[in-house]
Amino acid sequence: MKGCFVTATDTEAGKTLVSAGLSCLLHALVLKPVQTGCLQETDSEGKAMLRAPDVDAVERLGGMARALHCYLPPCSPHLACELARERLSVAGLARELRTAAQDESCVLVEGAGGLYVPLNEQESLLDLMQELKLPVILVVANRLGCLNQALLSIEAVQSRGLEVAGLVLNRVVEPEHCDPGCGSCASSEDEARILNDNVTSLARMAGRRHVPLLADIPWLGSDVLACREKLLERLAPAARRVQELLAEPGQEAGSRESLLDFDRNHLWHPYTSATNPLPVYEVASTRANRLCLADGRELVDGMSSWWCAVHGYGNERLIAAMTRQVQRMSHVMFGGITHRPAVELGRRLLDIVPRGLDWLFYADSGSVSVEVALKMAVQYQQSLGRAKRQHFLTPMGGYHGDTQGAMSVCDPVNGMHVLFSGLLPRHYFVERPACRFDEPFDPQSLEEARTFLQSRADEIAAVILEPVVQGAGGMWFYHPDYLKGLRELCDAYDILLICDEIATGFGRTGRLFACEWAGITPDIMCLGKALCGGMMTGAVTLATRRVAQSIGQAPAGLGGGLLMHGPTFMANPLFCATALASVDELLASPWQERVRNLQTWLQEGLAPNDGQPGVRDVRVLGAIGVVETEKPVNMATLQRFFVEQGVWIRPFDHLIYVMPPFTSPKEDVQQLCRAITRAVDAGLIL
Ligand code: PMP
């Protein structure tokens, strides 16, 4: 849909006059989603019908207009609907508006009253504006109090990520001695002063918020038609602004080509080639559990943006926390400074992580938190005089990130060890834990680690692994007793245990932290991804008091007690405030029940693939569903197929897997599973 949303700060601000004028100047159709206060009439065949006064007003001036829903009572849309036993919704209205605008080169969607006018018990006109994503023309009645109303409205519109394209001031107060259209006379000196000051003050104050004052319409008298030319003349700059916006990229379908071209020619994506990249899809926005593509299609999200968006997208609590914090203090260095968001998030995390973890280091991404964990472990051993303990032991099939230290403990076969063999330190690997999560534990699976440690423990600073679920290294769910056994071995040899909960943390496996399946506390734990609910990057490395104190007491030659790490964006206040809101949102939600439901729906939905040609295994744990294939999948083909099915699933290697937002409804999870089943049935994995 191309055009603008025309709204006012309040009722009786004269926005229909503005829509009418713009309609004439731009040859644009005015679409009125809801019109209340209609007139009852009978048509030529004697049938009762409702006439929309705003449509009449636009047409009288020579514009074009249509009202989609008309009601008799002159009241708020939600009440008028209730009286008519109907219900309007943002999704329904947006659909109807898009259909009505289909063949139009420019539409002006006109609101009803102000921004928060309710459409139903939950949704307002502002929600409709947010859904349509059109730039907004704000009509302000020039009267006492309008500065306050205009600035509040600008803030509300901008807080929804929308552009206020400009303001139109409208003198709705009738001056005492007015010649129609003169625009200069006033009823009294005071009033004239107020109204004139409104123009200059609003231009200045709105300008500071990057909103131009596009027009100042004088009092036009009751016979607007007589002043038509004057109105159009005053509105001409507003019409030019709308035309400029129509010409901007994003409103032009053709511009999408150049966006994708630029992307293809200049931007790297994760693990892709600069010369032969995989296709990408332009996402224009997100909402709830949906990715909205620039071409108008909506996809059910199956990935939670790689484990992060557990609450879905656009969560209001998170947005409010971010907005509050960004206005107060977005970033400040952490060296020599502390702040409330860092302390409050720290407190909250220590309340919920496995007992015994007591110190936190704020890192800027998951990989960096792993780097910090590895350095902590080495510094801990050094503080005890064990200088030789500079290596790590880890099971095959692990994934801990793409920075050098993290890479060195990723799976040596699937990882990037061969490419960077000269660069990476050498660590030690044992077989991937063979025992499945849902089968009886075989103690034999710990033998290799036990034998290794018997002879080489004095080289090892720590064992590092992902608890219970190995993520990017194979989406493998192993038995919690394996983790328990490793904890005991680490204790026996005074080696630290590092649990990388970056993917599993915050409920994904059905427990708040996957370590809880084994009832253990690691010495060091990494958290990231869902920690911030998918809003921004940030992670944390936690340690026990024993680890922190031992490092803290190291003598001068061994670090002098300092933990040797300190990134620029450490403890970024915006991240901390958002993460705190995300953790609170999760804890206040019925997340256990949601994850349990997701597990059931995924089990039911993916079961038909078990034993199908090309399928090696089907497994589900918590809100993670996996179909492992016999051959590596053709990513581009499968991705395209999934998009055609209306879902966002990103397969790789031998894995088609989903981990939807916890807030996903059953029908959407079924749609994700159906898409996978169809791909298998269609032989796309053979
Ligand atoms: N550890 C695990 C278990 C992960 O899944 C990831 C990310 N996929 C990381 C570490 C690295 O985190 P980031 O991408 O934020 O650096």
Side-chain angles (χ1 to χ4, degrees):
M1 191 191 301
K2 288 198 276 179
C4 272
F5 201 108
V6 180
T7 184
T9 50
D10 203 350
T11 52
E12 304 296 323
K15 67 179 171 332
T16 304
L17 187 73
V18 174
S19 303
L22 289 175
S23 170
C24 297
L25 289 164
L26 295 160
H27 307 290
L29 173 66
V30 176
L31 284 172
K32 184 96 192 162
V34 198
Q35 170 90 70
T36 58
C38 287
L39 310 166
Q40 182 114 46
E41 288 202 338
T42 41
D43 66 10
S44 53
E45 289 161 21
K47 270 204 306 208
M49 57 171 272
L50 291 177
R51 274 227 347 248
D54 288 0
V55 171
D56 286 351
V58 174
E59 288 177 348
R60 216 174 305 127
L61 218 67
M64 303 174 286
R66 247 184 80 193
L68 301 185
H69 294 269
C70 293
Y71 300 97
L72 203 52
C75 58
S76 159
H78 81 292
L79 182 57
C81 289
E82 211 174 287
L83 295 171
R85 298 184 187 286
E86 289 178 17
R87 190 176 186 282
L88 295 175
S89 72
V90 164
L93 286 175
R95 225 179 359 257
E96 289 175 64
L97 286 165
R98 287 191 182 110
T99 310
Q102 215 163 311
D103 301 322
E104 303 293 331
S105 54
C106 177
V107 289
L108 302 161
V109 180
E110 189 188 313
L115 302 173
Y116 283 106
V117 166
L119 290 169
N120 57 44
E121 65 288 354
Q122 276 164 354
E123 298 172 310
S124 66
L125 273 161
L126 188 55
D127 295 317
L128 178 64
M129 291 158 76
Q130 189 174 12
E131 171 65 28
L132 296 176
K133 297 182 193 71
L134 292 172
V136 176
I137 299 275
L138 185 65
V139 181
V140 184
N142 191 349
R143 57 190 166 207
L144 191 63
C146 76
L147 296 180
N148 172 58
Q149 285 200 341
L151 296 174
L152 283 174
S153 299
I154 291 173
E155 207 163 294
V157 173
Q158 289 180 337
S159 77
R160 300 291 183 102
L162 297 171
E163 177 174 359
V164 184
L167 301 183
V168 174
L169 255 177
N170 197 10
R171 295 204 189 206
V172 290
V173 182
E174 182 176 4
E176 251 171 19
H177 313 290
C178 183
D179 297 325
C182 79
S184 57
C185 52
S187 58
S188 71
E189 247 179 67
D190 279 353
E191 191 180 334
R193 196 176 308 125
I194 291 170
L195 300 192
N196 289 334
D197 174 71
N198 280 344
V199 182
T200 44
S201 294
L202 199 55
R204 188 179 67 247
M205 292 170 174
R208 252 186 258 136
R209 290 157 176 83
H210 310 287
V211 176
L213 177 60
L214 298 172
D216 172 21
I217 304 174
W219 167 250
L220 296 176
S222 47
D223 185 4
V224 177
L225 203 50
C227 303
R228 183 177 185 271
E229 289 317 308
K230 178 112 197 152
L231 173 71
L232 299 192
E233 188 189 311
R234 291 294 177 114
L235 278 175
R240 275 199 297 278
R241 177 80 187 112
V242 176
Q243 275 166 335
E244 275 167 26
L245 289 166
L246 289 177
E248 268 181 19
Q251 293 232 4
E252 285 292 315
S255 72
R256 254 190 316 274
E257 285 308 313
S258 66
L259 181 145
L260 289 177
D261 275 349
F262 183 91
D263 181 282
R264 195 179 165 82
N265 291 324
H266 302 279
L267 303 184
W268 263 302
H269 285 260
Y271 311 104
T272 46
S273 152
T275 53
N276 185 23
L278 287 168
V280 293
Y281 298 85
E282 186 193 344
V283 175
S285 63
T286 52
R287 66 175 180 89
N289 63 325
R290 304 289 161 114
L291 308 185
C292 311
L293 297 187
D295 63 12
R297 285 180 291 177
E298 278 196 13
L299 307 180
V300 171
D301 181 27
M303 304 306 289
S304 300
S305 287
W306 278 336
W307 312 85
C308 301
V310 285
H311 319 294
Y313 303 92
N315 180 285
E316 282 181 13
R317 183 187 206 138
L318 272 60
I319 291 175
M322 280 189 106
T323 312
R324 257 197 321 271
Q325 188 58 43
V326 83
Q327 281 164 354
R328 198 172 291 161
M329 167 172 68
S330 176
H331 181 63
V332 65
M333 62 190 280
F334 209 50
I337 285 173
T338 192
H339 45 76
R340 187 169 288 279
V343 172
E344 286 186 351
L345 175 61
R347 277 209 184 106
R348 185 76 82 262
L349 288 175
L350 292 190
D351 279 346
I352 59 173
V353 292
R355 268 176 88 87
L357 292 166
D358 203 29
W359 274 79
L360 299 111
F361 187 98
Y362 288 116
D364 29 17
S365 71
S367 302
V368 173
S369 78
V370 170
E371 297 291 333
V372 173
L374 300 178
K375 283 164 81 171
M376 257 183 205
V378 169
Q379 279 200 257
Y380 166 80
Q381 299 294 1
Q382 284 185 348
S383 72
L384 298 174
R386 301 160 176 169
K388 257 184 77 190
R389 293 197 174 206
Q390 301 257 357
H391 292 95
F392 295 91
L393 180 69
T394 184
M396 309 272 271
Y399 176 81
H400 299 284
D402 290 349
T403 50
Q404 284 181 33
M407 239 191 331
S408 72
V409 286
C410 287
D411 185 277
V413 182
N414 294 328
M416 293 156 273
H417 291 242
V418 180
L419 273 179
F420 303 108
S421 58
L423 185 69
L424 295 185
R426 289 189 183 278
H427 298 304
Y428 298 106
F429 295 87
V430 286
E431 276 309 307
R432 176 172 99 161
C435 44
R436 293 177 72 104
F437 181 89
D438 50 5
E439 283 176 4
F441 180 62
D442 175 8
Q444 193 57 33
S445 59
L446 279 164
E447 269 324 292
E448 197 188 348
R450 191 188 310 279
T451 315
F452 178 87
L453 289 178
Q454 268 164 6
S455 57
R456 314 282 291 266
D458 59 348
E459 292 173 49
I460 303 297
V463 170
I464 177 168
L465 82 168
E466 298 149 271
V468 176
V469 174
Q470 288 188 316
M475 302 300 290
W476 176 244
F477 314 147
Y478 65 84
H479 202 287
D481 282 359
Y482 180 82
L483 185 58
K484 218 162 140 187
L486 276 186
R487 172 74 278 181
E488 285 161 12
L489 283 173
C490 286
D491 287 342
Y493 291 98
D494 203 4
I495 286 167
L496 297 183
L497 178 67
I498 303 173
C499 280
D500 176 350
E501 287 254 15
I502 290 165
T504 49
F506 302 100
R508 181 58 67 179
T509 67
R511 298 283 167 97
L512 197 52
F513 299 102
C515 284
E516 294 173 16
W517 286 108
I520 59 124
T521 298
D523 303 286
I524 298 174
M525 181 160 118
C526 299
L527 296 175
K529 292 194 184 274
L531 167 59
C532 204
M535 295 304 252
M536 59 185 294
T537 182
V540 58
T541 313
L542 295 119
T544 59
R545 184 160 287 271
R546 175 171 71 112
V547 170
Q549 293 212 323
S550 191
I551 296 172
Q553 286 159 8
L558 296 173
L562 315 178
L563 179 64
M564 298 307 269
H565 212 95
T568 310
F569 274 84
M570 177 168 182
N572 170 251
L574 185 55
F575 157 75
C576 291
T578 314
L580 180 64
S582 176
V583 175
D584 285 347
E585 175 72 4
L586 183 74
L587 297 179
S589 73
W591 66 268
Q592 289 102 325
E593 187 190 331
R594 285 179 176 165
V595 173
R596 222 177 299 125
N597 284 339
L598 284 168
Q599 172 162 316
T600 308
W601 302 334
L602 289 170
Q603 276 163 343
E604 287 168 2
L606 295 179
N609 299 296
D610 212 357
Q612 289 296 94
V615 173
R616 187 185 287 161
D617 188 37
V618 176
R619 50 186 178 266
V620 174
L621 176 63
I624 316 168
V626 182
V627 172
E628 186 175 332
T629 56
E630 275 163 5
K631 287 197 200 145
V633 297
N634 181 327
M635 248 167 126
T637 310
L638 214 47
Q639 185 94 81
R640 194 174 336 108
F641 178 81
F642 286 140
V643 170
E644 281 160 12
Q645 300 287 314
V647 297
W648 182 247
I649 301 173
R650 178 99 179 134
F652 79 95
D653 198 20
H654 291 77
L655 299 165
I656 306 173
Y657 65 105
V658 284
M659 44 220 188
F662 296 170
T663 47
S664 307
K666 183 174 183 178
E667 316 78 76
D668 288 351
V669 179
Q670 287 172 329
Q671 193 178 336
L672 291 168
C673 295
R674 231 180 0 254
I676 296 176
T677 307
R678 284 193 184 136
V680 170
D681 289 348
L684 293 179
I685 58 164
L686 296 176

